[in-house]
Amino acid sequence: MSPKSRLYTLVKAWKNKPFQEVRDACGAPWLGMSSQAFEEHQSWSKRQAISHEPIFNCKGTKLTGSLFRPLLTASDMQLLRLFMEGLDSISYWYRSGRFIPGILPMPTHAIASSGYIDAMSDLILNSRLPVGLIALGIPSLPEPDIADAYKEGVLRMRRLGVLLHFMNFTGTVEQLHWINEMQIEGIHIDMGQFRDEALSKNVIAQLKQSPFSPTQIYASNINLVKDLENISAMQIDHGYGGLMLSPVSRHQMLHINDSRIAKAIFSLHPHPQPNQNGDQ
């Protein structure tokens, strides 16, 4: 094997390796790094390892997106950096030939802040990602005193081609009105609401009443086999949770075998048993 061939093989093997943190052997903070910055650095590899929650269609036959979980619990100082990390992951999949939309949740006060929206707009434009791969996760409706600024922030994201997802749908009249007014592309419903019968199935029917509606329904927190039966019966479009697949790294996301996942999910459903005559 020529030196050039060996170099090519080494580089290819290195690119295919999952991410691993590189740190000093002694584990001591680097010179000039504050304790808070060092803690951030230490937690970075952990986020890379388990930060992306795969989303599938309701049958589990197709990977349809990813939820970037670190943004759900981020502090104000972390928001923009984590938002950039989420965009970087979507770009990583896009450059690798996989069109995996990413949902990046942002808190209400950040969406109502022109400073945050300006910074997010710059990051989105610099990413040069095609329309349809970036979705903004909206956690809740705003308080009345920031409603106008909030709506302006949402509309600015919409003008950039960013999809809008409402993350914590509970079925209130205000939420339904706002979803219809803003033409939200995705709403996320916790399956616990169906287990506790806190959300009427008529609400789902109301969301699906128009065949031309752009809204897709996502079921979150799928942890029971009964949940899979419910999302199938209610014709929910997408689902995610521990029963379907736990969060993975961005590198592992590239290697999710949809057919294998579908087979595993399908095996959880009860199958008809053969009768006594041996007929299937």
Side-chain angles (χ1 to χ4, degrees), residues 52-56 60-66 93 98 100 244-262 265:
H52 303 280
E53 184 158 13
I55 300 174
F56 299 91
T61 56
K62 183 180 180 182
L63 179 69
T64 58
S66 170
W93 299 327
R98 294 292 301 272
I100 304 175
M244 301 194 82
L245 191 64
S246 299
V248 297
S249 71
R250 70 178 192 176
H251 181 78
Q252 291 168 330
M253 185 76 74
L254 290 176
H255 300 284
I256 291 177
N257 187 321
D258 294 339
S259 61
R260 190 178 302 174
I261 296 297
I265 294 174

Side-chain angles (χ1 to χ4, degrees), residues 111-207:
I111 299 174
S113 167
S114 59
Y116 275 109
I117 293 295
D118 288 342
M120 290 161 57
S121 299
D122 289 341
L123 291 172
I124 291 169
L125 291 172
N126 289 333
S127 72
R128 300 182 180 274
L129 286 166
V131 173
L133 288 184
I134 305 172
L136 181 69
I138 301 170
S140 60
L141 298 184
E143 296 296 329
D145 58 331
I146 62 170
D148 292 339
Y150 182 85
K151 187 172 182 179
E152 175 62 24
V154 170
L155 290 175
R156 285 184 61 186
M157 290 288 99
R158 169 79 77 192
R159 294 186 197 109
L160 292 178
V162 175
L163 305 182
L164 303 176
H165 284 232
F166 193 79
M167 301 303 297
N168 301 301
F169 181 76
T170 57
T172 65
V173 175
E174 293 81 4
Q175 289 179 351
L176 286 169
H177 175 75
W178 196 78
I179 287 169
N180 290 329
E181 178 187 0
M182 301 301 296
Q183 296 185 334
I184 302 297
E185 280 83 10
I187 63 169
H188 295 241
I189 304 174
D190 192 304
M191 289 306 297
Q193 295 190 71
F194 292 112
R195 299 183 205 122
D196 302 334
E197 298 184 353
L199 188 65
S200 171
K201 295 182 180 180
N202 293 332
V203 175
I204 302 298
Q206 185 176 351
L207 289 167

